Each structure stands twice: as structure tokens, then as C-alpha cells.
Amino acid sequence: MIPKPRLLIGLDFVTAFLFVVAVVMVFFYAPLEAVMGQVQRVFYFHVSTAWVGMLGFLVAAIAGIVYLTKGEEKWDIVGVAAIEISLVFFFVAIISGSIWARPIWNTWWTWDPRLTTAAIVELIYAAYMMLRQGIEDPDRRARFGAVYAILGFLSVPLTFISIRLLRTIHPVVVGGGNPTAAGGFDMSSKMLQTFFFSLFAFSVLFIDLLWHRIRLGTLAHKVEQLRMKDID
Amino acid sequence: MLFFIYLQQAPAETTKYMIAGYAVIFMIIFLYLVSMYIRFRNMKRAYKMFMDLDTDTE
């Protein structure tokens, strides 16, 4: 079994440090928003988790393309790893968004285009994880996973552009200006710094988690091979 | 609700929602990290068990 690489250990420490700095910036550096108050601070991690979600779905789609081109098992492991992490972070984004919405929109949930498409994305990838479990043959499972990850990714840009194209109450904070949105705000320079630092910290967290999850997937693959060998 | 929020002078009192939001964020991420750790530990055990079985049969 391959020991934990030193670079990964270093990345763990860097990630933990960046995460702590992001938390400190959110609570002690970013100013209080004038209208919404404290709940606006949810925004920094809400967007960052959504970003990690979308990034992972993109990585999975790319891994799917590479798997179909090269047929190497490792790309299937990368795809599953990316989707699992993204599912968790996208779920966090949906729940934190719902909590943010309660005092601002006066509701936990509304079938707004952004919320609806985000829920659809989450369900599409949750189905991916469940359907994979039902396929015994590893090659078929990997092929199915690759095609599903590529097709499933079509829902991600739709979610991203939904608030820019459709009439929605979800604010577009960066490059926005939707007059029908509720809860939008102009960011001060300190808010912008906190926002971009959070995005950066979560991107590094994603790389770190992806590496760990790939190691777990590789080990699971080896165990599966040993189990098959023992059955034979 | 939104109308009243915009009418007021001071920011809205939404601290409990902020706390709830971050509690959920930290808790889910923490649970995921724990689940990953447990699965890795179990997989290492399984790997070791199969390797031991292999050496026994040889």
C-alpha cells in the first residue's frame, strides 16, 4: 500500500491554515452588511461551496471524457471522487442558501429558477451514485459513469446562467444587477477580498479532498480486485 | 418582510440565521471528513486481510 505522500501532508496543513484564515476573515474582517445584517456572512461560504460543487462536476465530466478516450480505470476513480465531493458541497450550498433565504425572502424554499435547477443538479448526481451501486461489472460501471458524468454536466451551466437569463429573486452578486432579485448587495473592498479568499481556500480544500478521495478510491479498487481474485 | 427590512435604520437582526448557516456548513463538512476517514480505515483493514489471505494460500 502506498504511504501518504509528503506533498499531501503539506497540502493538508496549507488547506487547514487557509480555511482558518477564511473563517477569521468572514467573521472579523468582512464588514457587517447594512441591510441584511449578520446573515449576509453566510454568503462567503455559500458561494464557495457552490463553486466547489460545480468545479467537481466539471472535473468529473473531463475525467469521463478521458476515460472514454483512454479506457484507464484511474479516470473512473477520479470521476467518482469528484462527484462525491461535489455532491456534499453542493448540498451544503443549497442548505446554507435556504437558511440565508429565510430572513431575507421570508421563506426557506421557493421554486425559483436558480433553486430549482440547483436541486435538479443535486438529484442528477445523487442518482449517479445510486445507479453506480447497481452495476456489478467494473468496466460497464466505469463506462456508464463516464457517459453519465458528461451528460449530467449539461445541467451545471444551466444552473449557473439561470439567474442571469431568467426572471428570478436570487441575487447575482458578481456582475449582477437584476432588478427583481431580493437580497442583493454591493460589495465593499473588504467584502470582495473575503469573498475571493474564501473561493481560493475552498478551491484548495477541493484539491486536497479530491486527492484523499482518489487514494480511497484506488485502495477500494485494489480491495475489489483482491476480492474477485479470492472468489475465482 | 423585505419591505420592513429596507425601512429600518440599523441592519436586520439575523444573527441566529448566520449561526445556523455556519453550524450546518461546518457540521456537514466535518461529517464528510469523518466518513472519509472511517472508510479509509476500513478499506485498509480489508486490504490487509486480503493480503494476509493471499500469503496464507501461497
Side-chain angles (χ1 to χ4, degrees), chain A residues 157-168:
Chain A
L158 186 69
T159 303
F160 185 76
I161 60 169
S162 63
I163 51 171
R164 288 163 177 84
L165 291 182
L166 302 167
R167 189 180 167 84
T168 169

